[in-house]
Amino acid sequence: MHFLKDFIRINHKGETPVYIQITNGFIHCIMSGHLRKGARLPGSRKIAGLVQVNRMTVVAAYDELQAQGWIEQIPRKGAFVKEELPVLSPEPLTGTNTGQESSIKKTHFSFDEERIFPVLTSGFPPEEMLVFNDGFPDPRLTPMEELTRSMRSLSRRKTQKKYMMYGGEQGTLLLRETMAENLSDTRGLPVTPENILITKGSQMGIYLTASILLRPGDEIIVGEPGYTGATFAFRQLGASVNYVPVNEGGIDVEAIEKLCREKSIRFIYVISHHHNPTTVTLIPERRIKLLELAAEYRFAIIEDDYDYDFHYTSTPMMPMASLDKQGSVIYIGTLTKTLAPSIRIGFMIAPQNFIRAAVYLRRSIDVQGDSLMENAIAELYKDGTITRHIKKSVKIYRERRDHLCALFREELGNRVSFAVPGGGMSVWAHFPGTDLAVLSSKAREKGLVIPDGREYDNAGRKFNTARLGFASLNPEEQQKAVAILKKLLQI
Amino acid sequence: MHFLKDFIRINHKGETPVYIQITNGFIHCIMSGHLRKGARLPGSRKIAGLVQVNRMTVVAAYDELQAQGWIEQIPRKGAFVKEELPVLSPEPLTGTNTGQESSIKKTHFSFDEERIFPVLTSGFPPEEMLVFNDGFPDPRLTPMEELTRSMRSLSRRKTQKKYMMYGGEQGTLLLRETMAENLSDTRGLPVTPENILITKGSQMGIYLTASILLRPGDEIIVGEPGYTGATFAFRQLGASVNYVPVNEGGIDVEAIEKLCREKSIRFIYVISHHHNPTTVTLIPERRIKLLELAAEYRFAIIEDDYDYDFHYTSTPMMPMASLDKQGSVIYIGTLTKTLAPSIRIGFMIAPQNFIRAAVYLRRSIDVQGDSLMENAIAELYKDGTITRHIKKSVKIYRERRDHLCALFREELGNRVSFAVPGGGMSVWAHFPGTDLAVLSSKAREKGLVIPDGREYDNAGRKFNTARLGFASLNPEEQQKAVAILKKLLQI
């Protein structure tokens, strides 16, 4: 049984005790068919010599094998592979069946890989790169000290221990109460804690809502160009997507009305502030009209207001949800833009029967959120930290917007065209006469990441336009970034 | 225009500036049809008198209304509701259309509420209650100091700021590398970071896997009694569920083989350690047989090993995934039992093509996890905190198991029957001659929460058996709990 040496390879530095390593080696031997049912195992002394360990270690391994049910030890007869185990045909001895095998690349079963849309997964860009991202906040401003301090202090309190348990599928009551008060006070939303579900960012609100509403083939409406992250989720869930143009006033409601007359529409997905990607805000007459259409045609409105807090030309507009008296709107918001993308706290507001369904479904997806963090966030609302942080960031981001727009005008002149966004964290910049894909790839070589425009190109149109996030670049970084663009555009 | 007073109610203590409150009041007036398009607004002085504010506040409100696009101010003529707004028929003036409306209970659109399974949502039990939960860890043992300290110190490092951004859809590379090393060392899993997806607890792994595999009507197999949280997710996703008995050796593989001969099976969901609810561990011969069947019939095995770390009678058995050389197994694990339920870190291990699909799908559901926390957990692995914590908890939980089993025997005698579980955090306890539902409701009055057994009763059988979690009750609490049971059982 010299092959045993191939299966039992001892790593004296590993975390696993040596006797378990021997145990597992024997199991691999059995599994690969080299030790058949009924086979007699070599004596412990023999194995000890073979793999250079103390005999007692082998004895412990045999006991373990017996405890786990792989072998049977019969006094004065020896140890035998259990008779109940199936007979396996031995695999050829290669380097890959010794427990040190390489990882598996492909499934043995088949599945419909085409059905899952590949999305751009960027990973974290290297430290030293300048990044015009999709319009994200600056994590250097995030009040992490306050958040971790609050989490720590809560976790020490005896009364908070229960929040480390299961039970928070809807979000903690403390956070829902706090949000209800805040949202009713600042956004005019008529909500109680029963109308709120705390989600993982706005994406989970979008996914839950669509999962509840959609049956395969259902007709829905989204703006074009629009937010790919939502459209992909809808298509994944079987929606038949109708694209409606977005212009300066937001999504085209006349086109929506026309579609409603033609077919039964399940829901309309609309971004009320700073449409992704074009940054426009939905104007009042269209908000009213949408609510009227929803009343008449009984579709649902998914109002994604991910960017509410960051409006600069006026105060943010009241959400459609706050004007909705009939129960047509599912309102989705998030703190990921307010705090940081990796702090995955979002919320959805809807009539109670809908929130109930969403809570049930959420249980199936990830059970619940991080309740202790939710309570910590509630504390930061209560002590004013979040309000102060929003005020401060709005001021800084507005300055950064103005700074970048000025730089574009001064440095890039007519090689870039854009409208100054009324809010949000990005500029929708068109590059006439430049191939954006080429520019993007050249810029990367110079240490600048800029989108190549493909992401928004649902319908295969050539936009040659990119969302350039300004919020996470300070003035100095913006100067460096624009200098790189200027050079590449040979101005 | 006296009705304006009903719409514009000033709260001087609110977070919203008074001029915005006036703005929003006017918007509600327009929305409810009381101010029609083209209507002339009263002069600012008049409104100032009506709602008792400074005139300049009203001027600011009118400017805001104009900036948002609701009215038009014409010099020397006054302010007018914009002509572009649709005409709305006025709603009757009630207390509910003044911006102070109560929350909405029901959606105006319809949706299939039946399709979403109502699950038991317990909320957090009150502080003073004793709880026999479903088998959860004791959050009083969780190394929260270490975790929050690690998060805090990471968040201060400049190099970690990027982890607060988007980019972590698969989990941070640091945590995946750390887990790959740890899982290969301790569980013999042949994994690289490309085989791992960091999830939100094991539930997300279950949901993602089932979403990828299932087409409506697909046949799958689960154990009966079994884990409702998984079965509900499968049914929600359209699976046709076949129930196969679970006995002392785990799920009945002969019954599985029989089903495989009859119909095409998409996947089998199996819990390899401490089956939920019955606590049995899958024996070696069945593990081998399952892998053989998967090879032959090309179904997928979802191996849920949520409870791996907590085995007491031997070391935990090597997962089927570590014996799977063909790519049949999707292995699901979690740290929620190791650390705390609200620390939502789990993982799934699968062939690379499957992980890729899961990462794409995950983007649609909640984009990514909390990357900073993931890195903090990786640090706790690296500095040995988690290994020490597991060792310590295994010791404590084993003692608590023994203590509870002894109490049951001594105090409750033949009124309760159970097998001492080989691991995990609960006892599967049968109460012969007692109606568990009645016992459960009486116990609650005495300050003790115990399950009523309905949760596992998928097939409508009357088990009269409950999973009684012992891990989160210390010996003293166990004594109190058993004393309550003893009294209620009138022993």
Side-chain angles (χ1 to χ4, degrees):
Chain A
M1 293 206 181
H2 233 67
F3 61 86
L4 279 170
K5 236 181 139 173
D6 286 328
F7 286 94
I8 307 170
R9 291 196 182 149
I10 307 298
N11 169 13
H12 287 280
K13 284 179 193 145
E15 248 190 70
T16 309
V18 170
Y19 82 98
I20 297 296
Q21 296 183 38
I22 298 173
T23 305
N24 291 346
F26 271 104
I27 295 173
H28 277 290
C29 257
I30 296 169
M31 284 301 298
S32 60
H34 288 88
L35 271 176
R36 290 176 160 248
K37 66 172 190 173
R40 187 172 184 279
L41 268 55
S44 52
R45 207 175 303 270
K46 195 158 176 193
I47 298 292
L50 195 70
V51 299
Q52 301 282 321
V53 297
N54 186 298
R55 193 178 72 87
M56 289 319 288
T57 311
V58 182
V59 170
Y62 279 19
D63 287 348
E64 180 67 30
L65 280 166
Q66 171 150 304
Q68 290 192 20
W70 294 93
I71 66 166
E72 205 163 357
Q73 299 187 84
I74 304 173
R76 279 183 305 272
K77 287 203 165 165
F80 300 86
V81 177
K82 260 187 138 180
E83 283 291 346
E84 288 80 5
L85 297 184
V87 174
L88 296 154
S89 12
E91 292 165 14
L93 272 182
T94 69
T96 63
N97 52 7
T98 58
Q100 312 290 318
E101 51 266 273
S102 61
S103 79
I104 294 175
K105 300 233 170 6
K106 218 170 152 4
T107 49
H108 181 61
F109 53 87
S110 64
F111 65 99
D112 187 1
E113 300 191 42
E114 301 296 304
R115 193 167 60 91
I116 314 290
F117 297 107
V119 284
L120 300 173
T121 50
S122 50
F124 300 100
E127 225 70 58
E128 64 284 1
M129 294 286 267
L130 290 163
V131 184
F132 274 124
N133 56 39
D134 196 51
F136 306 150
D138 190 337
R140 293 171 293 195
L141 305 178
T142 310
M144 273 310 280
E145 282 292 314
E146 291 82 347
L147 180 60
T148 49
R149 193 190 311 135
S150 172
M151 280 183 73
R152 184 162 204 173
S153 115
L154 287 177
S155 73
R156 282 173 179 164
R157 277 186 231 161
K158 201 172 155 280
T159 54
Q160 293 287 320
K161 291 286 179 202
K162 68 175 169 188
Y163 293 107
M164 291 168 64
M165 272 296 201
Y166 292 109
E169 43 271 318
Q170 191 172 353
T172 66
L173 186 60
L174 180 67
L175 182 56
R176 286 184 289 123
E177 280 172 347
T178 310
M179 295 292 299
E181 202 184 314
N182 179 278
L183 291 171
S184 128
D185 192 19
T186 60
R187 306 192 192 185
L189 288 165
V191 283
T192 66
E194 284 68 47
N195 295 105
I196 304 185
L197 166 61
I198 304 297
T199 59
K200 292 279 167 197
S202 54
Q203 187 68 34
M204 182 179 264
I206 293 170
Y207 184 86
L208 287 172
T209 303
S211 295
I212 293 170
L213 291 176
L214 284 176
R215 313 262 56 195
D218 276 358
E219 302 283 343
I220 65 156
I221 296 177
V222 303
E224 167 66 24
Y227 176 48
T228 331
T231 313
F232 269 25
F234 302 151
R235 287 172 60 191
Q236 201 92 71
L237 291 163
S240 166
V241 181
N242 297 277
Y243 297 93
V244 151
V246 172
N247 57 26
E248 312 76 51
I251 198 163
D252 182 344
V253 282
E254 314 256 302
I256 291 176
E257 186 166 19
K258 195 161 162 284
L259 275 169
C260 286
R261 278 197 297 259
E262 286 165 15
K263 39 188 158 184
S264 170
I265 299 295
R266 199 80 193 84
F267 68 75
I268 290 174
Y269 170 76
V270 59
I271 301 172
S272 37
H273 282 100
H274 326 137
H275 181 76
N276 184 325
T278 66
T279 80
V280 297
T281 293
L282 192 65
I283 55 176
E285 48 265 43
R286 295 193 182 179
R287 291 174 182 236
I288 299 178
K289 188 73 191 174
L290 260 183
L291 286 170
E292 285 191 319
L293 290 174
E296 187 178 346
Y297 293 100
R298 289 193 172 248
F299 57 72
I301 298 174
I302 306 183
E303 180 178 19
D304 181 351
D305 210 1
Y306 74 105
D307 218 9
Y308 173 92
D309 283 319
F310 301 95
H311 202 63
Y312 313 128
T313 51
S314 63
T315 53
M317 306 222 322
M318 268 199 295
M320 274 182 285
S322 69
L323 307 170
D324 169 32
K325 293 187 182 68
Q326 65 219 8
S328 295
V329 179
I330 293 137
Y331 183 74
I332 287 167
T334 182
L335 300 184
T336 49
K337 297 290 178 290
T338 311
L339 297 172
S342 89
I343 299 172
R344 308 291 308 139
I345 305 272
F347 52 90
M348 65 185 268
I349 311 284
Q352 290 182 23
N353 64 329
F354 198 83
I355 289 293
R356 223 161 22 237
V359 171
Y360 292 153
L361 184 58
R362 194 261 167 84
R363 276 278 298 237
S364 284
I365 292 177
D366 74 344
V367 184
Q368 66 170 53
D370 179 341
S371 308
L372 206 65
M373 180 179 278
E374 291 175 11
N375 278 354
I377 301 258
E379 300 266 305
L380 298 193
Y381 266 107
K382 285 180 181 299
D383 70 12
T385 304
I386 290 185
T387 308
R388 277 195 306 277
H389 172 68
I390 291 174
K391 266 196 191 145
K392 181 179 142 191
S393 346
V394 165
K395 185 170 170 291
I396 293 174
Y397 295 159
R398 184 206 302 247
E399 286 165 8
R400 290 185 182 174
R401 173 197 66 170
D402 294 340
H403 186 263
L404 185 70
C405 290
L407 271 179
F408 275 180
R409 273 189 301 258
E410 287 159 21
E411 302 293 328
L412 308 185
N414 59 5
R415 303 298 298 276
V416 61
S417 82
F418 61 94
V420 177
M425 305 189 180
S426 60
V427 172
W428 180 237
H430 181 60
F431 288 84
T434 306
D435 187 326
L436 195 53
V438 175
L439 183 66
S440 167
S441 107
K442 280 191 185 159
R444 190 169 267 273
E445 286 165 28
K446 304 285 177 200
L448 171 67
V449 179
I450 85 165
D452 59 9
R454 274 185 310 165
E455 192 180 336
Y456 329 109
D457 217 0
N458 278 320
R461 288 199 266 150
K462 270 258 174 193
F463 280 124
N464 220 43
T465 309
R467 239 166 105 86
L468 301 182
F470 53 75
S472 53
L473 293 172
N474 64 30
E476 196 192 333
E477 289 158 345
Q478 289 183 356
Q479 253 144 19
K480 282 188 199 159
V482 173
I484 292 172
L485 285 182
K486 187 177 180 175
K487 209 163 174 187
L488 290 173
L489 291 168
Q490 297 175 309
I491 299 170
Chain B
M1 292 206 179
H2 234 66
F3 61 84
L4 278 172
K5 237 180 136 173
D6 287 329
F7 285 94
I8 307 169
R9 290 193 183 151
I10 307 299
N11 170 14
H12 288 281
K13 285 180 195 145
E15 248 189 71
T16 310
V18 172
Y19 82 98
I20 296 296
Q21 296 182 39
I22 298 173
T23 305
N24 291 346
F26 272 104
I27 295 174
H28 277 291
C29 257
I30 295 169
M31 284 300 298
S32 60
H34 288 87
L35 270 176
R36 291 178 160 246
K37 68 171 188 172
R40 187 171 182 280
L41 268 55
S44 52
R45 209 175 301 270
K46 199 161 172 191
I47 299 291
L50 195 71
V51 300
Q52 302 281 321
V53 298
N54 186 296
R55 194 179 71 87
M56 290 319 290
T57 309
V58 183
V59 170
Y62 279 19
D63 287 347
E64 180 67 30
L65 281 166
Q66 169 150 307
Q68 290 192 20
W70 295 91
I71 65 166
E72 204 164 355
Q73 299 188 85
I74 304 173
R76 280 184 304 272
K77 287 200 166 166
F80 300 87
V81 178
K82 261 188 138 180
E83 284 291 347
E84 289 79 6
L85 299 183
V87 175
L88 296 154
S89 13
E91 294 165 12
L93 272 182
T94 70
T96 63
N97 52 9
T98 60
Q100 313 290 317
E101 51 265 273
S102 61
S103 80
I104 295 174
K105 300 233 169 8
K106 219 173 152 1
T107 48
H108 181 61
F109 53 87
S110 64
F111 65 99
D112 187 1
E113 300 190 41
E114 303 295 304
R115 195 168 59 92
I116 314 291
F117 296 107
V119 285
L120 300 174
T121 50
S122 50
F124 301 100
E127 225 69 58
E128 64 285 0
M129 296 284 269
L130 291 163
V131 184
F132 275 125
N133 57 39
D134 195 51
F136 307 150
D138 191 337
R140 292 170 294 194
L141 305 178
T142 310
M144 272 311 279
E145 283 292 314
E146 291 83 346
L147 180 60
T148 49
R149 192 191 310 134
S150 171
M151 280 183 73
R152 185 163 203 169
S153 114
L154 287 178
S155 74
R156 282 173 179 163
R157 276 186 232 159
K158 201 172 156 282
T159 53
Q160 293 287 320
K161 289 288 177 199
K162 68 175 170 189
Y163 293 108
M164 291 168 65
M165 273 297 201
Y166 291 110
E169 43 271 320
Q170 190 170 354
T172 65
L173 185 61
L174 180 67
L175 183 56
R176 285 185 289 123
E177 280 172 348
T178 310
M179 296 292 300
E181 201 185 316
N182 179 279
L183 291 171
S184 129
D185 191 22
T186 60
R187 306 192 193 185
L189 288 165
V191 282
T192 65
E194 285 67 47
N195 295 105
I196 304 184
L197 166 61
I198 304 298
T199 58
K200 292 280 168 195
S202 54
Q203 187 68 35
M204 181 178 265
I206 293 170
Y207 184 86
L208 287 172
T209 302
S211 295
I212 293 170
L213 291 176
L214 285 176
R215 312 263 55 195
D218 277 357
E219 302 283 344
I220 66 156
I221 296 176
V222 304
E224 166 66 23
Y227 176 48
T228 331
T231 314
F232 269 25
F234 302 151
R235 288 171 60 192
Q236 202 89 72
L237 291 163
S240 167
V241 182
N242 297 277
Y243 297 93
V244 152
V246 171
N247 57 26
E248 312 77 52
I251 198 163
D252 181 345
V253 282
E254 313 256 300
I256 290 175
E257 185 166 19
K258 195 162 163 284
L259 275 168
C260 286
R261 278 196 297 259
E262 286 164 16
K263 38 187 158 184
S264 170
I265 299 295
R266 199 80 192 84
F267 68 76
I268 290 173
Y269 170 76
V270 59
I271 300 173
S272 36
H273 283 100
H274 326 134
H275 181 76
N276 185 325
T278 66
T279 80
V280 297
T281 293
L282 192 65
I283 55 175
E285 47 266 45
R286 296 193 182 178
R287 293 177 182 234
I288 298 178
K289 187 74 192 173
L290 260 183
L291 285 170
E292 285 192 318
L293 290 175
E296 186 178 347
Y297 293 100
R298 287 192 173 249
F299 56 73
I301 299 173
I302 305 183
E303 180 177 20
D304 181 351
D305 210 1
Y306 74 106
D307 220 8
Y308 173 91
D309 283 319
F310 301 95
H311 202 63
Y312 314 128
T313 51
S314 63
T315 54
M317 305 217 334
M318 267 199 295
M320 274 181 286
S322 70
L323 306 171
D324 169 32
K325 293 189 182 67
Q326 65 218 9
S328 294
V329 180
I330 294 139
Y331 183 74
I332 287 168
T334 182
L335 300 185
T336 51
K337 297 290 177 290
T338 311
L339 297 172
S342 89
I343 298 173
R344 309 290 309 139
I345 305 271
F347 52 90
M348 63 185 269
I349 311 284
Q352 290 183 22
N353 63 329
F354 198 82
I355 290 293
R356 225 164 17 240
V359 171
Y360 292 154
L361 184 58
R362 196 261 165 86
R363 276 278 299 237
S364 283
I365 293 177
D366 74 343
V367 184
Q368 66 169 51
D370 179 339
S371 309
L372 204 66
M373 180 179 278
E374 290 174 10
N375 277 354
I377 302 258
E379 300 266 306
L380 298 193
Y381 266 107
K382 285 180 181 299
D383 71 11
T385 304
I386 290 185
T387 308
R388 278 195 307 276
H389 173 68
I390 292 174
K391 264 195 191 145
K392 180 178 144 193
S393 343
V394 165
K395 184 170 172 290
I396 293 174
Y397 295 158
R398 184 206 304 247
E399 286 165 9
R400 290 185 181 175
R401 173 196 67 169
D402 294 340
H403 187 262
L404 186 70
C405 290
L407 270 180
F408 275 179
R409 274 188 299 259
E410 289 158 20
E411 303 293 327
L412 308 185
N414 59 5
R415 302 297 298 276
V416 62
S417 81
F418 61 93
V420 176
M425 305 190 179
S426 61
V427 172
W428 180 237
H430 181 60
F431 289 84
T434 305
D435 187 326
L436 194 54
V438 176
L439 183 66
S440 167
S441 108
K442 279 190 183 160
R444 189 169 268 272
E445 286 164 29
K446 304 285 179 201
L448 171 66
V449 179
I450 85 165
D452 60 9
R454 275 186 310 166
E455 190 180 336
Y456 331 107
D457 218 358
N458 278 321
R461 289 197 267 151
K462 269 259 176 195
F463 280 124
N464 220 42
T465 309
R467 237 167 107 85
L468 302 181
F470 53 76
S472 53
L473 293 171
N474 64 32
E476 195 192 334
E477 290 158 343
Q478 289 184 356
Q479 253 145 20
K480 284 188 198 160
V482 173
I484 293 172
L485 286 181
K486 186 177 182 178
K487 209 162 176 190
L488 290 173
L489 291 167
Q490 297 175 310
I491 299 168

